[in-house]
Amino acid sequence: MPSARVAFVGAGPGDHSLLTVRAAELLAAADAVVVDDPAAEDLARQYGRPGVRIIETTDGDRASTLTQASWAKIVARAATQVAKEAEGDDTTPGGSGLLVRLMTGDPTAFHGLAAELAACHKAGHLTEIVPGVSTSAGIAAYAGIPLTSRESGSVHIVDAGAATADWAGGTAPTTTVVVLGDADQLADGLERLEAAGRDPQTPVAITENGTTTEQRTTTTTLAEAPALLRAGGLTPDVALVGATVALRDELSWYETKPLFGWRVLVPRTKDQAGPTIDRLAEYGARGETVPTISVEAPRTPQQMQRAIKGLVTGRYEWVGFTSVNAVRAVREKLEEIGLDVRAFAGLKLAAVGGVTADALREMGLEPDLVPTGEQSARGLLEVWPPYDEVLDPINGVFLPRADIATDTLVAGLQEMGWEVDDVTAYRTVRAAPPAVEVRDAIKQGAYDAVVFTSSSTVRNLVGIAGKPHPTTVVACIGPATAKTAEDHGLTVSVLAQEASSASLVDGLADYGRQLRAAAIEAGETVQRPSDKRPAGRRKAR
C-alpha cells in the first residue's frame, strides 16, 4: 500500500497568530486536513492551499462525540486515501501525500494522540508531531496570569471531565491548578478540589473564549466559583486556581488593550482593508469589512490600451499610481496583452502611499517616489519634482486612475510642466447592499465604531446599509471626510492627525483609552460603546 506523511499539528488555543511557523508550512503543503473543531476548520482554510480537502468530523460542538478508536480509524483511512491520490501524480500543485491532523492547543496534551499515531504506524504511514501553544499556557498568558511564581513553583493540570482526574495533587497552596472542561465539569471539578483539601478562599480565574477578542476573565474564589459556573451565562475554556491569579490586576495586558473586544466596521473591501484590520487587531479590536464600492473595467478600454502601448514606446517618463486598484488594473491589462513588468523598464514610478507602494513591490517593482508626509494627491504633489527640460528627456506622465478621481494631481503636475495622460483604468460603482444581518447590526448599534477613509465611503455606506447607530463611534481620516459624515447626520468623535489608515486607527485607540480611563476614574465598569445601547435593542453577543 502507498504511504503518506501524517503531521499531527498544534493549532494553538484560539488566536491564529499563535500558529507556529512549521504548522503554517505544513498546512500550506497539505493535500487534506482533518479537524475536530470549527475554529480549526477556519485556520485550515486560512493557511491551506487552494483546493485543500478539509475532513470535518464534528457535529458543530467543540467536544467530539467520537471515541478515540473511531478517531484513529478516521485519520488512518484519510492518510491512506491521500497516499493513493498522490501516488505517481506529479501534476497536482502541492501534491505531496501529506495529511495534516489539526489539533486544538498542543497535540501532546490531546487524549487521542497515542491511538491515532499507533493507527498511522500500523498502516505504514510516516508521522510527525508539531507542538503548539497549549490551551493551559496560552489562555493563562492572555489572561495575564503566570502559571508559576517564586511562591508558587508547581503546576497541576486536570481534565475535569476525566474519571481518573487527580485532585489531591493540587491541594498544596504553592501549586497552580489548571482545570479544563465546560461549565458543569469545571463546577464539579472545583468542588472536588476543595473537598480534597484546597483552601476555599484560594483565588480562581475563569476565562471564556481565551486568546480571542471575545475573551473574558472572571475572578472569584474556590468556594464561590461552582455556584457562579452553574448560574449560567459563562462558556469557559479553563479555570486557574492559585495565588498567581492575584497577579492579574497588575499583569493583565490583553483585556486592557484600548479597543479590546470592540467590533469595528471598515467600509472597504478585504483586499484594501488588510493593514487597517491588522492594526485594529493590535489594539484588541475585531475589524469587519463591508465593501461600499465595486471596481469594474472602464466602459471604453481603448484609452487604457493606448496608454499601455505608450509604456513600451517611450511616451512617458513617470507612471503615477494613486491606489491599489490602479496597480491591479495596470497589471491585469499587461497580462491581457501578453506583457509583464519589463514594460516599466526605464520608467520612474510614483505611489501615493505605503499600501500602494507595497502593491507595486508585490509585482516586483520598487517605487521611486512615495510621500513621506500626507499620503494623498496633495502629499504626492509636494514631493513630485518639476519638469526640467535639461534633466528630463520626456515630459509625459501616465496616471491610471478611477473614473471619479479628482483633478488635484493632474492640475498640479501640469503646473509643474508635465504633460499628463489622465487615463480611466477602472470604474467605481456603489456596491450591492450587505446581508440583512449586517445592515441590522449597523443600524442597531452592534458595531462599536466605524472608520471612514474617504467621503465616498460615508455616502456609499449610508446609501447601501443606512446610518450607523448614535452609540457607534465615528472616526474619519480627514476634515473633508468628517464634513461629509456630519452632512449625513453623524457625530464625528475621532479625526486622524494624518491622512493615513494607520493614523486613523491610532486616533481611535487614543479615544478608546480616554473612555477606559474615564470609566475607571469614575469607579464604573469599563464598557464598549455597543454596551451602552438601550437594553431593548441590544442582542446577545
Side-chain angles (χ1 to χ4, degrees), residues 11-62:
D15 184 347
H16 288 190
S17 65
L18 296 179
L19 195 70
T20 66
V21 173
R22 179 58 177 162
E25 292 173 347
L26 289 168
L27 283 172
D31 296 290
V33 182
V34 177
V35 300
D36 60 358
D37 184 304
E41 183 176 353
D42 293 340
L43 197 64
R45 296 194 186 281
Q46 178 179 348
Y47 286 92
R49 61 185 177 84
V52 65
R53 187 168 74 256
I54 296 177
I55 303 171
E56 196 271 328
T57 57
T58 67
D59 55 5
D61 298 323
R62 293 195 78 161

Side-chain angles (χ1 to χ4, degrees), residues 61-151:
D61 298 323
R62 293 195 78 161
S64 174
T65 57
L66 296 173
T67 64
Q68 292 181 15
S70 298
W71 268 113
K73 290 179 181 179
I74 288 171
V75 174
R77 287 172 182 169
T80 299
Q81 183 63 31
V82 165
K84 289 179 179 179
E85 293 172 354
E87 186 179 25
D89 183 2
D90 296 327
T91 62
T92 302
S96 58
L98 173 62
L99 175 72
V100 168
R101 168 69 166 102
L102 200 54
M103 298 174 158
T104 301
D106 180 73
T108 60
F110 203 90
H111 294 309
L113 177 63
E116 294 180 27
L117 275 171
C120 289
H121 288 162
K122 184 177 180 180
H125 302 300
L126 303 175
T127 58
E128 176 182 353
I129 300 176
V130 180
V133 177
S134 70
T135 299
S136 302
I139 293 180
Y142 273 54
I145 301 172
L147 290 179
T148 61
S149 67
R150 186 170 296 178
E151 294 75 24

Side-chain angles (χ1 to χ4, degrees), residues 457-479:
T457 59
V458 178
R459 290 189 294 267
N460 290 339
L461 181 70
V462 173
I464 66 175
K467 289 171 53 176
H469 191 273
T471 59
T472 303
V473 177
V474 176
C476 294
I477 201 167

Side-chain angles (χ1 to χ4, degrees), residues 11 31 34 51 86 117 134 176-177 212 225 247-248 257 312 321 334 372 376 381 383 405 413 421 427 527 529 533:
D31 296 290
V34 177
L117 275 171
S134 70
T176 300
V177 183
T212 72
L247 299 174
R248 170 176 158 77
K257 287 189 172 187
V312 295
F321 293 96
L334 286 172
T372 55
S376 65
L381 276 174
V383 296
L413 290 174
D421 273 0
R427 292 185 301 120
Q527 291 184 309
R533 291 174 289 162

